[in-house]
Amino acid sequence: MTGEDKIKVVNIEEEMKTAYIDYSMSVIVSRALPDVRDGLKPVHRRVLFGMTGLGLSSGKSYKKSARIVGEVLGKYHPHGDSSVYDAMVRMAQIWSLRYPLVEGQGNFGSIDGDSPAAMRYTEARLQKISDDVLADLDKNTVDFRLNFDDSLEEPTVLPTRIPLLLVNGTSGIAVGMATNMPPHNLSEVVDATCAYIDNKDIDIEDLIKYLHGPDFPTGGIIYGIQGIKDAYRTGKGRVVIRSATEIEQTESGRAKIIVTETPYMVNKADMIKKIADLINEKKIEGISYINDESDRNGTRVVIILKREAVANVVLNNLFKQSQLQSSFSINNIALVDGRPKLLNLKDLIRLFVSHRHDVIIRRTHYELDQAQKRAHILEGLLIAIDNIDEVIAIIRAAQTPEEAREKLMERFDLSDLQARAIIDMRLRSLTGLERDKVKEEHAELMKMIEYYNQVLQDETLQMKIIKDELLEVKAKYGDARRTQIVPDAEEFNPEDFYADEDVVITISHLGYIKRTPLTEYRLQARGGVGTKGVAARDEDFIEHLFVASMHNTMLFFTENGKCFWLKVYEIPEGAKSSKGRAIQNLINIEPEDKVKAYINVKTLNDPEYVSKNFIILGTKKGIIKKTSLEAYSRPRQNGVIAITVKDGDQLLEACLTDGNCHMMLAAKNGKAIKFPENLVRAIGRTGGGVRGISISPDDEVIGMVCVNNEEKVDILVVSEKGYGKRSSFDDYRITNRGGKGVKTINITEKTGKLIAVKAASDSNDLMIINKSGITIRLAVSDVRLAGRATQGVKLINLRNGDTIAAVTKVDAAPEVDQDQAVNEVQDESEN
């Protein structure tokens, strides 16, 4: 043969395709996917079979794991020892399998991810439940095949009485596919299987009445049943699992969250570490301490909260951001006749019952054959006993056992087996008692043979046997569910854990924000000095102060014309004197931009509400713009353009209207204009707006007021040096949009420029904050009604050239005795 004759030319593409298909099928069939009949992968099946060969049943003593691994490796599984040991360890871990198949002695790892001890240190034997997995293996119930070196035989499948694929589940990654099947409660699986046996036409909806859902070894809570139904109907679905938690109180009165069960396959130690990382990164607030107090009696993770934290809100954030909540993606792929197939619940039950049906028939055939063989021998023994004298004579006359056997066969028409049994018969069989035992055994065998023939001819009886054995398994190993199922769970809504109450939102000049309970601001008499409201940073002062409900959505508008969304409860809470949190950490505002206006919106999910309401924006240069609220109903993390602001201009204020309001714009030099809202046409969100008021180059708009036609309000104006007054809204005549307006306050050197304009009534309080952080709250009713062009009265005493930074109105506080109102200053400079 020449060198050329030894070379075979092949197409590289075809060769690679063929080789990869062979490899992938080998992984699918021989490694990664379970057989639908016994629910086991080859390595698990070989471990159980190898342990059986070593006599390691549940009642026997333990053997070293290294001995077991060596048995399996040397006889059946020619792979790495770690693959065998890891598979055996998992079958022994109570947190991995719902019903462990191996009983381990020694360190078999932990739910914290600790590795098991080396195989030379640990010992193992089969669990009692494995006796039913391996039952009848020696009765020709399953096919055997040669092992890797053709020296031994191993089973291709186990004749399990337990639906292991449903009961313990499995996971595996093959080539081009994967399987991920959850464990279930044995009692429920048996009930569902029996229901199928009783009615082969039962639909999946009826099966779900018996098999409610996965039952994980680590417990937990499944939220929602839709994912379960999807998986049972189609073979694919997703279930959400939450830790089981309790909320308790510490001795000091603080709330603490106790975690008693974790989601399936979650590493508890990693979960705690990641929660600690979230706390350190301030992604989760309100937690002061976390500790793992778990022991051999169960899981116990203690999370102690800060005094001001709301336990349910913190718990929800933990569910949202940590592994206290996880999901299990169900993918029911298993081998059916050696081929991978996606299976629904009924398929899984049907194929298991079909497997058990085959096992029952093959076992019955085997037992019938054994019974017939024994009966045949007993029939020969009965003949010999009835003719014992002649049999003894034939045997005594024969020169060899073979000669005696042949003569017995010829004389009594016996088979070879019968003749051999007679020759081997002991003398004690000649006693009357032994003769009776032979007759009784033969009679019993004839009944069994009749029963076996009846079983083989009656499918109903075969199904009854399957059902009875399942019920026996349920009686021996059935237990209560560990995983609770909460049906129709909706998305957790943090609003449910906040009272719908007003809070004060403050934003400083440098962009720090916080919310404070409104009750922290007490009522003071007019002219009071005020209390220290905010510990301002150097060169910082409070620029925005307003009131919002905890359930509102806040729309933040920046001076560059962008809009951002934020739920009020998402704003960090702080004491009145705290500095707050940088707003850049809450919304994706650009560094050179800052918040200038805000709007409280009740909801953005009601189509009727967003279509009938409008947002009106005003700028410092007197530009006004109207846009439907619907344009802002789809929040975006990076914000949207609310108005196109021209160079030299800035967005100033924003109002929410119903389309039937009157607008008022007030300028720094004391002029104000009033006109109907309908003079402003609604335009798109990115438009630039129209002129609202005409002002001189050295003037600028300081505020905008929107007043509903049905409201009875006054216009309250405040100057930068603490003077203010209120005038009737009707004192301002209606003009066309774009005019110069009329005088709203008499500006003097004593009053300073106009700083704020508000629509208020006697049911409101006024909150004023100056640039040094001093805050005062006073009743609007204390500010007397005055003419439109007057100077007004002093509202707050300012010290050392201080000026007012911001003014807002709030709902009136409960009435208090004005004589008891305390005027005190908590100024750090005076302490």
Side-chain angles (χ1 to χ4, degrees):
M1 181 180 290
T2 64
E4 293 181 358
D5 295 333
K6 296 180 181 179
I7 299 174
K8 182 180 178 182
V9 179
V10 296
N11 184 297
I12 185 66
E13 182 179 344
E14 291 298 324
E15 183 68 18
M16 290 183 67
K17 185 185 298 183
T18 302
Y20 192 76
I21 289 174
D22 291 344
Y23 159 72
S24 62
M25 287 306 298
S26 173
V27 172
I28 290 169
V29 175
S30 303
R31 190 184 306 173
L33 298 185
D35 193 297
V36 72
R37 296 170 291 176
D38 63 3
L40 297 172
K41 300 177 187 178
V43 64
H44 300 107
R45 189 178 301 116
R46 287 165 176 167
V47 168
L48 296 178
F49 184 62
M51 293 179 74
T52 302
L54 288 173
L56 293 176
S57 60
S58 58
K60 302 295 178 63
S61 59
Y62 296 90
K63 268 191 171 60
K64 284 288 185 182
S65 299
R67 175 72 178 85
I68 299 169
V69 172
E71 176 82 3
V72 176
L73 285 181
K75 291 184 176 181
Y76 311 113
H77 197 72
H79 298 280
D81 58 355
S82 62
S83 65
V84 176
Y85 187 50
D86 289 347
M88 189 187 77
V89 164
R90 188 174 186 276
M91 287 194 289
Q93 292 174 337
I94 59 174
W95 59 90
S96 293
L97 263 63
R98 181 63 176 83
Y99 299 90
L101 302 176
V102 173
E103 183 179 356
Q105 183 168 267
N107 176 13
F108 274 75
S110 74
I111 196 172
D112 290 329
D114 299 322
S115 300
M119 67 180 77
R120 62 182 178 273
Y121 298 118
T122 60
E123 297 178 340
R125 67 182 179 189
L126 292 172
Q127 288 274 11
K128 188 169 180 56
I129 195 172
S130 295
D131 295 343
D132 285 280
V133 175
L134 295 155
D136 305 323
L137 186 60
D138 57 348
K139 295 183 178 180
N140 194 32
T141 50
V142 294
D143 292 332
F144 279 70
R145 65 185 171 206
L146 293 172
N147 67 342
F148 59 89
D149 63 357
D150 295 347
S151 62
L152 297 168
E153 286 190 331
E154 61 174 321
T156 58
V157 68
L158 296 183
T160 174
R161 296 180 180 179
I162 299 166
L164 282 180
L165 195 56
L166 277 169
V167 165
N168 275 334
T170 189
S171 63
I173 301 174
V175 179
M177 64 184 66
T179 184
N180 201 34
M181 304 178 69
H184 293 83
N185 182 268
L186 177 61
S187 299
E188 293 183 1
V189 172
V190 169
D191 290 342
T193 307
C194 290
Y196 169 79
I197 292 172
D198 292 337
N199 177 19
K200 298 292 179 59
D201 295 325
I202 190 172
D203 58 24
I204 293 176
E205 295 299 327
D206 290 329
L207 285 173
I208 295 176
K209 296 176 182 177
Y210 299 95
L211 188 58
H212 303 123
D215 187 25
F216 299 104
T218 54
I221 302 171
I222 294 177
Y223 270 75
I225 60 175
Q226 189 57 49
I228 299 173
K229 289 183 177 180
D230 291 342
Y232 287 169
R233 290 169 184 156
T234 67
K236 285 190 174 185
R238 177 177 174 273
V239 296
V240 175
I241 317 165
R242 281 184 178 172
S243 300
T245 58
E246 301 171 0
I247 297 176
E248 300 177 359
Q249 295 289 326
T250 64
E251 293 181 358
S252 61
R254 290 194 291 177
K256 62 179 179 179
I257 298 170
I258 309 297
V259 181
T260 56
E261 297 172 359
T262 57
Y264 184 51
M265 299 306 290
V266 167
N267 184 310
K268 177 164 61 66
D270 286 349
M271 179 190 76
I272 294 172
K273 181 180 181 300
K274 289 175 182 176
I275 292 175
D277 292 340
L278 290 171
I279 297 170
N280 294 332
E281 295 168 3
K282 300 194 181 301
K283 293 181 179 179
I284 294 181
E285 297 184 344
I287 298 176
S288 64
Y289 178 74
I290 181 169
N291 188 39
D292 186 3
E293 299 179 2
S294 305
D295 56 22
R296 65 179 60 190
N297 296 320
T299 298
R300 180 179 171 87
V301 179
V302 179
I303 303 171
I304 299 179
L305 308 185
K306 296 178 180 178
R307 291 190 180 277
E308 69 276 7
V310 179
N312 284 314
V313 176
V314 174
L315 183 57
N316 175 58
N317 286 329
L318 287 169
F319 284 145
K320 184 178 181 181
Q321 300 186 55
S322 77
Q323 287 182 303
L324 278 186
Q325 174 177 301
S326 69
S327 62
F328 189 97
S329 296
I330 301 172
N331 190 23
N332 293 338
I333 292 181
L335 294 176
V336 181
D337 296 328
R339 295 177 177 271
K341 189 174 181 181
L342 182 65
L343 304 166
N344 61 33
L345 176 60
K346 189 174 180 179
D347 292 335
L348 291 168
I349 294 175
R350 175 179 56 81
L351 291 167
F352 171 76
V353 171
S354 176
H355 172 56
R356 284 302 297 167
H357 187 224
D358 290 340
V359 168
I360 295 298
I361 291 176
R362 292 182 62 160
R363 183 183 70 187
T364 306
H365 274 297
Y366 175 85
E367 291 175 337
L368 174 62
D369 183 57
Q370 294 299 311
Q372 287 175 336
K373 287 180 180 178
R374 179 61 179 166
H376 179 66
I377 292 173
L378 290 178
E379 288 170 357
L381 293 177
L382 287 173
I383 292 172
I385 292 171
D386 291 341
N387 301 275
I388 191 61
D389 294 334
E390 188 176 354
V391 168
I392 292 173
I394 293 174
I395 294 175
R396 287 185 65 183
Q399 297 295 318
T400 63
E402 289 299 316
E403 182 183 346
R405 179 176 59 81
E406 291 175 359
K407 288 183 177 180
L408 287 173
M409 292 173 62
E410 181 181 350
R411 169 65 183 85
F412 298 107
D413 193 21
L414 300 175
S415 68
D416 181 68
L417 285 173
Q418 289 174 324
R420 290 180 185 275
I422 292 171
I423 292 173
D424 294 336
M425 185 173 62
R426 296 180 180 181
L427 288 176
R428 70 180 185 183
S429 301
L430 301 178
T431 64
L433 186 61
E434 288 296 320
R435 288 200 302 272
D436 291 341
K437 283 185 178 180
V438 172
K439 292 179 180 179
E440 289 176 5
E441 183 183 354
H442 182 265
E444 187 66 28
L445 280 173
M446 296 310 294
K447 291 180 182 178
M448 294 304 299
I449 290 170
E450 182 182 359
Y451 171 73
Y452 292 145
N453 283 316
Q454 184 181 356
V455 168
L456 292 173
Q457 296 169 7
D458 188 351
E459 185 176 348
T460 302
L461 185 54
Q462 296 163 9
M463 290 298 164
K464 182 179 183 301
I465 294 172
I466 297 172
K467 184 176 178 180
D468 290 343
E469 290 182 352
L470 282 170
L471 293 174
E472 181 184 344
V473 164
K474 176 184 175 182
K476 287 196 289 186
Y477 310 114
D479 57 2
R481 284 190 64 88
R482 297 181 187 176
T483 301
Q484 180 185 354
I485 299 175
V486 179
D488 300 325
E490 298 179 351
E491 187 70 24
F492 183 90
N493 186 3
E495 291 182 3
D496 296 339
F497 301 98
Y498 290 100
D500 193 12
E501 59 189 12
D502 287 344
V503 293
V504 177
I505 306 296
T506 55
I507 303 176
S508 73
H509 180 69
L510 293 181
Y512 291 88
I513 186 172
K514 74 174 188 298
R515 60 178 168 87
T516 307
L518 190 60
T519 53
E520 284 202 21
Y521 294 86
R522 65 172 173 273
L523 190 69
Q524 292 189 1
R526 181 178 64 83
V529 186
T531 61
K532 186 69 177 177
V534 176
R537 290 171 168 81
D538 294 339
E539 300 181 357
D540 194 12
F541 58 88
I542 295 302
E543 190 167 346
H544 295 280
L545 184 150
F546 51 89
V547 174
S549 165
M550 288 285 280
H551 289 190
N552 287 169
T553 298
M554 297 300 303
L555 301 184
F556 292 95
F557 296 87
T558 69
E559 62 182 23
N560 290 339
K562 291 197 73 174
C563 173
F564 295 88
W565 292 260
L566 196 66
K567 283 287 189 179
V568 170
Y569 56 75
E570 294 176 328
I571 299 172
E573 183 175 355
K576 189 171 62 170
S577 59
S578 66
K579 296 177 177 63
R581 181 101 168 265
I583 199 168
Q584 284 86 351
N585 294 337
L586 303 178
I587 59 177
N588 293 334
I589 187 173
E590 297 175 359
E592 67 277 4
D593 205 359
K594 61 180 179 179
V595 172
K596 297 294 290 185
Y598 60 90
I599 285 180
N600 297 340
V601 180
K602 293 181 179 179
T603 178
L604 293 173
N605 299 323
D606 185 348
E608 183 178 357
Y609 177 79
V610 297
S611 64
K612 291 186 177 180
N613 286 274
F614 301 88
I615 289 179
I616 295 182
L617 305 175
T619 72
K620 282 190 175 182
K621 294 299 183 183
I623 301 299
I624 191 170
K625 177 193 170 185
K626 179 178 178 182
T627 306
S628 171
L629 180 60
E630 196 276 333
Y632 297 90
S633 63
R634 291 169 289 277
R636 296 181 190 173
Q637 187 175 2
N638 294 323
V640 296
I641 296 175
I643 183 174
T644 301
V645 178
K646 296 181 180 179
D647 292 341
D649 199 2
Q650 291 180 356
L651 180 65
L652 180 68
E653 292 245 18
C655 293
L656 182 67
T657 76
D658 60 2
N660 299 309
C661 293
H662 276 83
M663 308 302 302
M664 176 176 284
L665 297 174
K668 197 172 185 178
N669 288 335
K671 291 290 188 74
I673 188 171
K674 172 184 172 183
F675 55 86
E677 177 189 344
N678 56 25
L679 294 180
V680 184
R681 179 175 59 88
I683 61 175
R685 187 167 42 76
T686 58
V690 295
R691 182 167 298 281
I693 184 173
S694 296
I695 54 176
S696 58
D698 63 341
D699 200 3
E700 63 182 30
V701 174
I702 52 87
M704 179 176 70
V705 172
C706 301
V707 178
N708 191 286
N709 293 334
E710 298 179 357
E711 288 184 272
K712 298 297 181 183
V713 296
D714 298 325
I715 296 300
L716 194 148
V717 292
V718 181
S719 70
E720 60 184 0
K721 292 188 177 180
Y723 285 81
K725 68 177 181 70
R726 59 176 177 144
S727 307
S728 172
F729 188 60
D730 295 334
D731 285 354
Y732 296 84
R733 71 175 188 272
I734 297 176
T735 63
N736 286 326
R737 174 182 58 80
K740 293 184 178 181
V742 297
K743 183 180 289 189
T744 184
I745 189 172
N746 188 25
I747 297 296
T748 65
E749 184 176 348
K750 183 173 69 172
T751 63
K753 299 290 186 179
L754 193 62
I755 191 69
V757 56
K758 302 292 176 184
S761 67
D762 288 346
S763 64
N764 296 130
D765 287 347
L766 201 63
M767 296 186 69
I768 303 173
I769 189 164
N770 58 32
K771 292 186 178 181
S772 62
I774 302 297
T775 306
I776 188 172
R777 177 172 182 165
L778 55 89
V780 170
S781 57
D782 286 350
V783 183
R784 65 180 177 85
L785 203 64
R788 176 173 53 80
T790 60
Q791 176 180 281
V793 296
K794 196 163 192 177
L795 302 178
I796 182 172
N797 292 322
L798 301 174
R799 296 184 176 185
N800 303 324
D802 204 0
T803 58
I804 293 175
V807 179
T808 190
K809 67 173 183 178
V810 298
D811 291 337
E815 291 187 5
V816 298
D817 187 347
Q818 295 292 330
D819 294 336
Q820 296 179 1
V822 179
N823 296 324
E824 58 183 27
V825 178
Q826 298 175 349
D827 195 331
E828 295 176 355
S829 62
E830 295 182 6
N831 291 340

